[in-house]
Amino acid sequence: MADEPQKKPHLSALVGHTNGLTKPASLAATAGRAAGGGAGGAAASSKKLVIKNFRERPKLPDNYTHDTWQKLHEAVGAIQSSISIKYNLEELYQAVENLCSYKVSATLYKQLRQVCEEHVKAQILQFREYPFVVHRRDSLDSVLFLKKINKCWQDHCRQMIMIRSIFLFLDRTYVLQNSMLPSIWDMGLELFRNHIISDKQVQTKTIDGILLLIERERNGEAVDRSLLRSLLSMLSDLQVYKESFEQRFLEETNCLYAAEGQRLMQEREVPEYLHHVNKRLEEEGDRVITYLDHSTQKPLIACVEKQLLGEHLSAILQKGLDNLLDENRISDLTQTYQLFSRVKGGQQILLQHWSEYIKNFGTTIVVNPEKDKDMVQELLDFKDKVDHIIEVCFQKNEKFINLMKESFETFINKRPNKPAELIAKYVDSKLRAGNKEATDEELERILDKIMIIFRFIHGKDVFEAFYKKDLAKRLLVGKSASVDAEKSMLSKLKHECGAAFTSKLEGMFKDMELSKDVMVQFKQYMQNQSDPGNIDLTVNILTMGYWPTYTPMEVHLNSEMIKLQEVFKTFYLGKHSGRKLQWQTTLGHAVLKAEFKEGKKEFQVSLFQTLVLLMFNEGDEFSFEEIKMATGVEDSELRRTLQSLACGKARVLIKNPKGKDVEDGDKFIFNGDFKHKLFRIKINQIQMKETVEEQVSTTERVFQDRQYQIDAAIVRIMKMRKTLGHNLLVSELYNQLKFPVKPGDLKKRIESLIDRDYMERDKDNPNQYHYVA
């Protein structure tokens, strides 16, 4: 009988235990008595409280399992019918825990599944009876159907959450221990998938409806995006998204954009079409963010890119790239680059068209002789334009930069030698005194740009020859804008082509410096002379090897000039014995003082102009033949000289008869009524102008030098190799020569060297050469 009082609390604990929520009164009282008794018995000495297991397991009351399930079944039914539950949720939870504690879990799970399954099965009927056919024009029925299926899904999810919260103990014990069983939530998903969505008719109606809504949205209509998001999330949760929806969605997307691409390529201009492609890509990206599953993003965007871009890459570029580049449409070019970079092979095809454009546009600048006057400026402007496009539109992509350089090199050398000559003349125009570049910084910037174009040229020796000729004129006639600018250009050329390229040019500057020192000494020398004369003589002593070759011209100087020449000759050779002086008259210049009715003037004139004007101290009128006889100036040079004095802006002489050209028999009269706003007037610009003969002789001299270089290279190679085949020799020559050369020219030089016994042909093999020591 001593054990009897303990059984009651055991049963109370079984029925009333609330898993820590509320302690039943009976259990609390029993615990209190036990504690009180323990304390009373151990007043003298404290003992530990020991709690022991029940000696025998309490039994459930009869019909407890059946009655409890009835309660639970009723609660589940209430949840599924959306009516209020009669019982306390805590009580229901406790009931599930009690059943699980007495190993009724398997039966409980099975019964729960059966109830849920019956309910889900019953839902299918409302959809089968639903009169729904997809009409592409009128989609009202489809939207109603989708709303209904969405409501069913939302209700199902809400119900399963409630049911799971009641059966949570079952879910966390029995189901968790049995890996083969789905959790209560997964069981709900499985039932909905098997009995609702897997139904062929329902699935077809659902997917068709979703696709119809997406199609309407793509056509610009407003649709319920939250409905789409909910339904696609449902398909994803039910794990049927890919097989039931995504495949069909991508197929329809493919068809839509394939047709749209074909149609719009015909209808729209390239910029509009690219704006449309960009808009479509943004829209599809937004769809992924808003309601599509994230996994769809990659195939969807790839599909749009393929159909709207990938299939039309060449067509887009052929139709519109040239216009975009011609009109410098920066934003459209940026968009073109960004879109083409998204597609496989897009950048490569854009590179090809980019290169073709540069070559074609550049060729029109270089090849047309009528454009020679503006060729270099147009090349610089074109280079600035493509640099800006690469920087802003093509994100400084190295491939575009390198291909641009290759393309420039290709087209600029399509017309041999002329671009090099014109670049040299352009530099001359910028480095001359009186050019319009306001500051040194601007001039430096232009020289840097010219050097970039210069790099692309193969025949740099042509540039050197013309640059050297023009530099000589600038230095000797005193027309250089700035010594600093000249030396800056020289250092750029040295850095680009090496010291050998600029050694003669540097020698020219050295001569000018030494000449200044010599003239200081000569002036001191003249002061010690008994008859210094009225003319100030300045002489530039030039080392022959450094300067361009000038054809000596014997002219008739007046006696005072001849006397001064002899004085300087005596002075110079007295200091430097063994040297020979040769006077070059073509680039000589002087300052003449003249008196007119208006007053005194000074003329800055060439030596030839000086000789002509000095004649008019002896008389007022002379014929062309008389002037020619008196001065000894060569015929064509004299005509140019008289033209500058009688037909230019400052007409010191009057030509009779009037006309632009100087003819035999023309008479020239001193213009005593000459007027000019300036005191010192420059008439010697004629010296800076290049004659046709000068241009031809400079070009011929370059070709002559090239022949010497080819000969030297052949001899050098043959001396080292002794015996060599024709093809190997030509290949070696191409590697060594720094200017463009044709195979025919090389063959002529080889024949010339064979004739001059530097080398010989092999007796058995005519394509084999031997060096002759």
Side-chain angles (χ1 to χ4, degrees), residues 54 72 83 177 242 244 281 410 451 484 519 574 684 743 772:
F54 296 129
L72 293 170
I83 57 174
Q177 289 158 11
K242 278 201 179 300
S244 66
L281 285 165
T410 302
M451 287 309 299
D484 289 341
M519 289 324 296
N684 68 331
V772 178

Side-chain angles (χ1 to χ4, degrees), residues 462-473:
V462 175
F463 172 89
E464 184 195 9
F466 280 94
Y467 183 80
K468 184 174 164 183
K469 174 181 69 66
D470 293 332
L471 174 63
K473 283 188 179 183

Side-chain angles (χ1 to χ4, degrees), residues 256-279:
L256 170 77
Y257 287 125
E260 186 173 275
Q262 293 288 347
R263 177 170 53 80
L264 294 181
M265 272 301 293
Q266 303 297 323
E267 294 174 6
R268 297 192 181 183
E269 290 301 313
V270 166
E272 293 170 27
Y273 181 78
L274 292 175
H275 281 306
H276 177 78
V277 174
N278 207 41
K279 181 168 158 261

Side-chain angles (χ1 to χ4, degrees), residues 548-609:
T549 308
Y550 299 107
T551 309
M553 193 185 294
E554 291 297 327
V555 293
H556 304 152
L557 304 174
N558 66 22
S559 58
E560 208 169 341
M561 288 181 183
I562 292 169
K563 184 185 172 187
L564 264 174
Q565 273 190 347
E566 288 303 318
V567 170
F568 181 80
K569 192 174 179 183
T570 306
F571 158 75
Y572 187 76
L573 295 179
K575 283 184 169 291
H576 304 281
S577 58
R579 292 191 183 177
K580 185 183 175 186
L581 285 178
Q582 186 180 41
W583 295 94
Q584 295 287 353
T585 53
T586 47
L587 291 175
H589 55 99
V591 176
L592 285 183
K593 293 177 180 176
E595 286 188 31
F596 299 95
K597 289 176 185 177
E598 192 190 46
K600 291 182 178 181
K601 298 283 181 189
E602 284 188 2
F603 294 117
Q604 198 167 317
V605 285
S606 71
L607 181 59
F608 299 155
Q609 288 170 327

